[in-house]
Amino acid sequence: LYTISTGLTHGKKAAVLATFGCTAGILPHLLLSTLLSTCLLQMGSLLFNLIKIAGALYLFYLGISMLLSPVDTAIPASTTEQTEAQQKSKVIRHAILINLLNPKLTIFFFSFLPQYVNTSIHSGQPYFLLQFLIPGGLFMLLTLLVFLGYGMLAGVAKNFLESSPRIRKG
């Protein structure tokens, strides 16, 4: 939503900045969940399997909650006059903080990534870490691409709305 609202209020360039900021804010959550999962696996595979099951149940809960929750389509108003550099900096900072301060990302990674880890080949630590980091990195890449798409479409919509004589009449 932040990428879309940024694209609608500030245009495509700001939406791209918001996209990269939001994606950068994911990385600490990925690393934290990988570290926590690694520690749990060291404690024993039974505990790790319980976390996998709890994670699957949590993902199911999230899906049901999303299906049942209402959608808010309000678009924030444009900000006050700022220099372009200040506005870019603010967009990036805000985007990073949105994801950095969102504990649901760590919980999501913590519940999602263990589902794809083969615990029987845990003998090599680097391979085990790659089993976490590769799907996490792919998640970040897909997030980047999807957010870029949303942001660019929002920027196009902004240009269309601003140039529409019908909308300008008010």
Side-chain angles (χ1 to χ4, degrees):
L1 287 176
Y2 180 68
T3 305
I4 294 170
S5 66
T6 301
L8 285 172
T9 57
H10 302 295
K12 290 186 268 187
K13 289 180 183 179
V16 170
L17 294 173
T19 296
F20 281 102
C22 284
T23 305
I26 294 172
L27 190 57
H29 295 284
L30 173 61
L31 297 176
L32 179 63
S33 62
T34 300
L35 176 68
L36 290 174
S37 296
T38 304
C39 291
L40 281 175
L41 190 57
Q42 295 291 333
M43 291 179 193
S45 63
L46 176 63
L47 182 60
F48 190 74
N49 287 331
L50 289 174
I51 293 296
K52 281 174 133 178
I53 293 168
L57 291 173
Y58 176 72
L59 292 173
F60 181 74
Y61 164 76
L62 282 180
I64 297 297
S65 298
M66 287 177 66
L67 290 173
L68 299 177
S69 67
V71 178
D72 183 13
T73 58
I75 298 172
S78 184
T79 58
T80 60
E81 292 295 320
Q82 296 176 342
T83 68
E84 190 173 334
Q86 287 174 325
Q87 188 176 12
K88 286 179 182 180
S89 175
K90 182 178 178 183
V91 166
I92 292 172
R93 264 194 333 269
H94 194 163
I96 290 172
L97 285 174
I98 283 173
N99 275 348
L100 192 61
L101 299 175
N102 182 359
K104 289 186 282 185
L105 277 170
T106 297
I107 295 168
F108 171 76
F109 279 133
F110 194 60
S111 60
F112 176 74
L113 292 177
Q115 311 298 321
Y116 300 99
V117 173
N118 184 354
T119 57
S120 65
I121 53 175
H122 177 58
S123 59
Q125 188 72 13
Y127 181 72
F128 177 74
L129 291 175
L130 282 176
Q131 289 184 72
F132 277 92
L133 296 177
I134 289 173
L138 288 173
F139 175 84
M140 288 179 65
L141 176 64
L142 289 173
T143 298
L144 178 76
L145 295 174
V146 169
F147 284 11
L148 275 173
Y150 286 154
M152 297 306 276
L153 284 173
V156 168
K158 176 190 186 305
N159 293 341
F160 173 75
L161 293 172
E162 286 179 342
S163 66
S164 172
R166 185 181 227 181
I167 294 189
R168 282 187 168 192
K169 287 181 183 177

